[in-house]
Amino acid sequence: IKPLKTQVPVFAEPGAWADKLAQLAGVDPTMITKLALGFVVARILHGAFYVGDAPRLRSLSWLVGMLCVLALIVMAALKVV
């Protein structure tokens, strides 16, 4: 089986897609930075809570990260419309 060859880079993290969408839509860079940092902090905490065997905190940190991504996507959509 041959791997697929693509010209477009593939981002595994949803935060990277949301960040690029927000930049292209013209969302305020300060807000993008705050939400992107919130996403990164939430992901780091998610890993720490995984290692520390804290499932509720791990789920909460995942939710916070996804809310940061969702906020970026919504802000980008509102700028485009």
Side-chain angles (χ1 to χ4, degrees), residues 22 25-28 74-81:
V27 175
D28 177 33
V74 168
M75 292 172 75
L78 292 174
K79 280 284 193 178
V80 173
V81 172

Side-chain angles (χ1 to χ4, degrees), residues 8-53:
V8 179
V10 177
F11 295 103
E13 285 291 336
W17 283 106
D19 183 72
K20 293 300 174 196
L21 284 173
Q23 288 178 14
L24 290 173
V27 175
D28 177 33
T30 304
M31 186 57 68
I32 294 173
T33 302
K34 288 178 182 178
L35 289 169
L37 286 174
F39 175 78
V40 170
V41 169
R43 295 300 295 165
I44 290 169
L45 288 174
H46 180 268
F49 293 141
Y50 181 82
V51 171
D53 194 29

